[in-house]
């Protein structure tokens, strides 16, 4: 055990804890370390398919919203890699995901507070500090930052299928070589499902025999990325949302699904154009089934894999057959196993997520001065921006300020253009009065 406790120990190094570490790199009086079991940083390697792009602006990087002069910004990375002008000239409509992954890895390789190849197995609270035990490591820390990410969500029916027959999109880049000459069913109507379908439709030498795209959604629906919808991804909205009662927050998140989990319009357009080419230009077109508004109820082994579905459009039961099933069924939150010793001390909501305060610290029965910051756990508490990259720099700044006990980064903003509540309306009016004066 180290001689003195760290100010913060981070568990997991994905983009969110990486953002926190990048901002903390500018704070000399805080002693922090971040631990990850993987040997190096590698962001969603299973989804690094050719030509996939972010749905988020590159300005919403690790640090820029809080510290635009940081050496860990995306623009600083482009300059350091001597590709600034080429990047500009390429005029990407959206940043390639592989580019952003290289940026994240660039930063992760240069931050001294990150410790890879070190898995934390157990965390206990003893003697006024958290005691962490792991691979070749025993440290203590006054505060924790949980950034372990989400787990692939596998529906119950998928348990009947073997790993060769069924895989999640998290493993897609490593498993799609199995589809040549086979019937493939892609289940899920979000961005990852659309990217898999587009990839399959573009295969030539190792093309599948058939592709079915199955979604519970009433149609293959686009991401709502219009300006006022994007106001949902601002600190003002998150702060207003956090003050709502939990039942209202849950219903609001459900209504806003397409603001954060729709398909990019460019991806839908590319799929439709490819389908047009297959139908009208290809001599031997690939059979494609577009099946929205279908809920998969069960599977069995009849004829390979038989999918039993309910059609929400007409209420009928339908059957589809596949040899390979790709699960584009999203991700779920789970507390890391290393917290098992203190799990009962955390206040959890009905979905098993920690109840999180405005500064992203979890509610627990320990001392107020020892906080457990939970990143990517606040979908219900902070809204649909929480799992996205959009506000990670602002969230990190809020956490740094709470950790330091002072304003390290200025997180104050002008009043919102949109009055989400009566309080917002009053602030906007006062701002207008000041402008008139």
């Amino acid at each position: 055990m180290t001689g003195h406790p760290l100010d913060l120990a981070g568990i997991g190094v994905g983009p969110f804890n990486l953002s926190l570490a990048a901002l903390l790199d500018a704070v000399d009086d805080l002693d922090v370390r971040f631990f990850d079991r993987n040997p190096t940083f590698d962001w969603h390697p299973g989804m690094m398919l050719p030509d996939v792009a972010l749905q988020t602006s590159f300005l919403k990087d690790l640090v820029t919203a809080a510290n635009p002069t940081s050496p860990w910004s995306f623009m600083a990375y482009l300059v350091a890699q001597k590709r600034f002008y080429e990047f500009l000239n390429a005029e990407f409509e959206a940043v390639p995901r592989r580019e952003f992954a290289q940026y994240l890895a660039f930063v992760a390789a240069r931050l001294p507070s990150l410790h890879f190849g070190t898995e934390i197995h157990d965390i206990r609270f003893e003697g006024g500090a958290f005691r962490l035990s792991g691979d070749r490591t025993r440290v203590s820390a006054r505060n924790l930052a949980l950034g372990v990410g989400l787990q692939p969500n596998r529906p119950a029916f998928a348990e009947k299928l073997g790993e060769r027959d069924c895989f999640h999109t998290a493993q897609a880049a490593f498993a799609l070589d199995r589809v040549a000459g086979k019937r493939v069913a892609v289940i899920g109507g979000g961005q990852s499902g659309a990217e898999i379908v587009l990839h399959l439709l573009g295969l030539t030498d190792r093309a599948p025999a058939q592709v079915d795209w199955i979604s519970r959604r009433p149609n293959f629906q686009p991401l709502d990325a219009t300006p006022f919808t994007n106001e949902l991804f601002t600190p003002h909205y998150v702060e207003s949302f956090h003050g709502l009662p939990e039942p209202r927050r849950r219903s609001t998140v459900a209504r806003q699904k397409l603001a954060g989990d729709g398909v990019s319009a460019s991806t839908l357009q590319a799929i439709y154009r490819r389908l047009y080419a297959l139908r009208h230009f290809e001599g031997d077109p690939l059979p494609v089934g577009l099946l929205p508004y279908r809920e998969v109820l069960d599977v069995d082994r009849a004829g390979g894999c038989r999918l039993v579905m309910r059609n929400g459009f007409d209420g009928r039961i339908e059957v589809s057959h596949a040899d390979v099933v790709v699960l584009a069924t999203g991700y779920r939150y789970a507390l890391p196993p290393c917290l098992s010793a203190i799990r009962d001390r955390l206040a959890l909501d009905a979905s098993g997520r920690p109840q999180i305060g405005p500064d992203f610290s979890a509610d627990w029965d320990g001392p107020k001065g020892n906080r457990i910051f939970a990143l990517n756990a606040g979908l219900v508490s902070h809204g649909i921006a929480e799992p996205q990259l959009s506000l990670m720099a602002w969230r990190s700044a809020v956490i740094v300020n709470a950790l330091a006990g002072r304003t390290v980064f200025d997180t104050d903003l002008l009043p919102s253009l949109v009055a989400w509540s009566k309080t917002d309306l009053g602030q906007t009016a006062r701002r207008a009065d000041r402008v008139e004066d």
Side-chain angles (χ1 to χ4, degrees), residues 12-144:
V13 182
F16 294 159
N17 257 351
L18 182 60
S19 169
L20 181 57
L23 284 184
L24 282 166
D25 190 54
V27 186
D28 294 332
D29 60 337
L30 293 177
D31 189 8
V32 303
R33 292 187 210 169
F34 293 80
F35 303 97
D36 194 282
R37 64 184 179 185
N38 294 308
T40 58
F41 184 92
D42 200 2
W43 183 50
H44 290 314
M47 276 302 293
M48 288 300 157
L49 301 173
D51 301 323
V52 295
L54 291 184
Q55 292 182 309
T56 303
S57 167
F58 65 83
L59 291 175
K60 296 180 177 180
D61 62 10
L62 296 169
V63 294
T64 294
N67 185 11
T69 61
S70 169
W72 309 124
S73 71
F74 182 78
M75 299 307 291
Y77 148 81
L78 289 177
V79 172
Q81 296 297 92
K82 303 187 184 305
R83 62 177 79 170
F84 177 81
Y85 293 104
E86 290 181 41
F87 179 84
L88 290 182
N89 292 341
E91 294 185 340
F92 293 111
E93 292 183 10
V95 176
R97 193 176 295 170
R98 287 185 292 183
E99 177 85 80
F100 206 74
Q102 288 183 19
Y103 156 62
L104 297 176
F106 169 86
V107 176
R110 288 162 176 79
L111 285 176
S113 61
L114 307 185
H115 296 260
F116 291 96
T118 305
E119 183 173 6
I120 301 300
H121 300 294
D122 183 67
I123 299 177
R124 299 173 184 272
F125 188 76
E126 299 169 348
F130 297 100
R131 311 291 177 174
L132 289 71
S133 302
D135 298 337
R136 305 176 303 280
T137 298
R138 287 175 61 81
V139 298
S140 62
R142 296 186 183 92
N143 303 279
L144 299 176

Side-chain angles (χ1 to χ4, degrees), residues 55-286:
Q55 292 182 309
T56 303
S57 167
F58 65 83
L59 291 175
K60 296 180 177 180
D61 62 10
L62 296 169
V63 294
T64 294
N67 185 11
T69 61
S70 169
W72 309 124
S73 71
F74 182 78
M75 299 307 291
Y77 148 81
L78 289 177
V79 172
Q81 296 297 92
K82 303 187 184 305
R83 62 177 79 170
F84 177 81
Y85 293 104
E86 290 181 41
F87 179 84
L88 290 182
N89 292 341
E91 294 185 340
F92 293 111
E93 292 183 10
V95 176
R97 193 176 295 170
R98 287 185 292 183
E99 177 85 80
F100 206 74
Q102 288 183 19
Y103 156 62
L104 297 176
F106 169 86
V107 176
R110 288 162 176 79
L111 285 176
S113 61
L114 307 185
H115 296 260
F116 291 96
T118 305
E119 183 173 6
I120 301 300
H121 300 294
D122 183 67
I123 299 177
R124 299 173 184 272
F125 188 76
E126 299 169 348
F130 297 100
R131 311 291 177 174
L132 289 71
S133 302
D135 298 337
R136 305 176 303 280
T137 298
R138 287 175 61 81
V139 298
S140 62
R142 296 186 183 92
N143 303 279
L144 299 176
L146 306 179
V148 295
L150 305 180
Q151 302 299 314
N153 180 49
R154 293 178 61 89
F157 66 77
E159 301 306 317
K160 298 182 179 181
L161 303 175
E163 293 183 1
R164 293 291 302 176
D165 307 324
C166 179
F167 56 87
H168 193 273
T169 52
Q171 290 81 43
F174 311 122
L176 285 173
D177 59 350
R178 308 174 193 169
V179 303
K182 296 183 178 180
R183 300 167 297 176
V184 182
V186 180
I187 301 176
Q191 180 69 16
S192 60
E195 289 173 353
I196 296 295
V197 170
L198 182 59
H199 178 77
L200 293 173
L201 297 182
L203 293 176
T204 54
D205 295 340
R206 300 185 57 80
Q210 175 182 321
V211 175
D212 285 340
W213 188 12
I214 302 168
S215 173
R216 287 188 301 182
R217 305 179 191 194
N219 203 345
F220 300 110
Q221 297 171 300
L223 180 75
D224 184 352
T226 50
F228 290 106
T229 296
N230 283 338
E231 282 287 321
L232 305 182
F233 298 88
T234 63
H236 284 301
Y237 178 79
V238 170
E239 290 169 347
S240 296
F241 179 89
H242 187 270
L244 296 175
E246 182 175 333
R248 185 173 292 275
R249 282 189 264 120
R250 286 187 178 277
S251 63
T252 300
V253 165
R255 290 196 306 271
Q256 294 172 345
K257 187 175 184 64
L258 291 178
D261 191 27
V263 184
S264 296
S266 59
T267 305
L268 290 173
Q269 184 180 65
I271 291 173
Y272 200 95
R273 287 176 175 175
R274 181 58 185 154
L275 292 170
Y276 184 94
L278 287 170
R279 170 173 287 193
H280 300 296
F281 307 149
E282 304 288 340
D284 186 18
L286 170 69

Side-chain angles (χ1 to χ4, degrees), residues 363-376:
D363 183 11
W364 78 304
D365 67 2
K368 298 296 184 183
N370 300 103
R371 283 162 293 196
I372 304 172
F373 297 104
L375 294 77
N376 202 359

